[in-house]
Amino acid sequence: MALDASRVIHGSYGQVFINGVWQTHINHLEAKVAMQKKELNLSGDDWVRHKKGPKKGSGTMSGFKVTSAMLQQGFDKFEIVSKLADPEAYGFERIRLKNVMADELQLANWTAGEEVTEEVAFTFEGYELLDPIVEG
């Protein structure tokens, strides 16, 4: 069966909520989890084996600067909920990022004649898939 192109999720419907408040000025969010792997060299085996290790969550969000909220947040932990809800898709997806903390604070970054953008790199400690998208 061919892909129904209308079911492909469009990023324009993405929303970011920080501590439950919709951040209307954010237009980009990326979050990912990397797992460290321990290499095991075993006798009699010519393959390096891998054991699962700890995970690290990291990400970036960016958009237009409209308030000083991120500066006021400082390095205190907060929660992010990412929501994708394209009306033509099979449903919507929400993912909660737990114990989010900014990596650094952008104090100033502007150019005369241009909109001021703000980018925040962060780490997080756990996630929860609140609403998965399933075909149907």
Side-chain angles (χ1 to χ4, degrees), residues 41-56:
N41 294 312
L42 305 173
S43 63
D45 193 341
D46 59 351
W47 284 94
V48 174
R49 302 299 174 166
H50 296 89
K51 181 167 180 63
K52 292 180 183 179
K55 299 178 204 91
K56 179 181 179 183

Side-chain angles (χ1 to χ4, degrees), residues 56-125:
K56 179 181 179 183
S58 62
T60 304
M61 63 180 162
S62 57
F64 299 104
K65 184 169 181 81
V66 293
T67 70
S68 297
M70 286 311 298
L71 286 177
Q72 292 170 316
Q73 176 70 42
F75 294 105
D76 294 337
K77 291 186 177 182
F78 57 97
E79 177 179 288
I80 292 177
V81 173
S82 169
K83 181 178 180 183
L84 284 172
D86 185 332
E88 291 185 326
Y90 285 115
F92 66 95
E93 176 182 81
R94 288 187 313 138
I95 301 171
R96 179 168 66 115
L97 306 179
K98 303 175 183 180
N99 297 320
V100 180
M101 189 183 323
D103 292 346
E104 53 186 33
L105 299 176
Q106 180 176 294
L107 300 179
N109 183 17
W110 59 270
T111 303
E114 296 180 10
E115 294 85 8
V116 177
T117 59
E118 185 172 44
E119 180 173 283
V120 178
F122 58 85
T123 54
F124 60 94
E125 300 166 347

Side-chain angles (χ1 to χ4, degrees), residues 9-15 83-88:
I9 300 200
H10 199 274
S12 293
Y13 299 100
Q15 294 177 307
K83 181 178 180 183
L84 284 172
D86 185 332
E88 291 185 326

Side-chain angles (χ1 to χ4, degrees), residues 19-30:
N19 293 334
V21 178
W22 180 22
Q23 306 297 303
T24 59
H25 62 288
I26 299 292
N27 61 16
H28 171 80
L29 176 69
E30 178 183 355

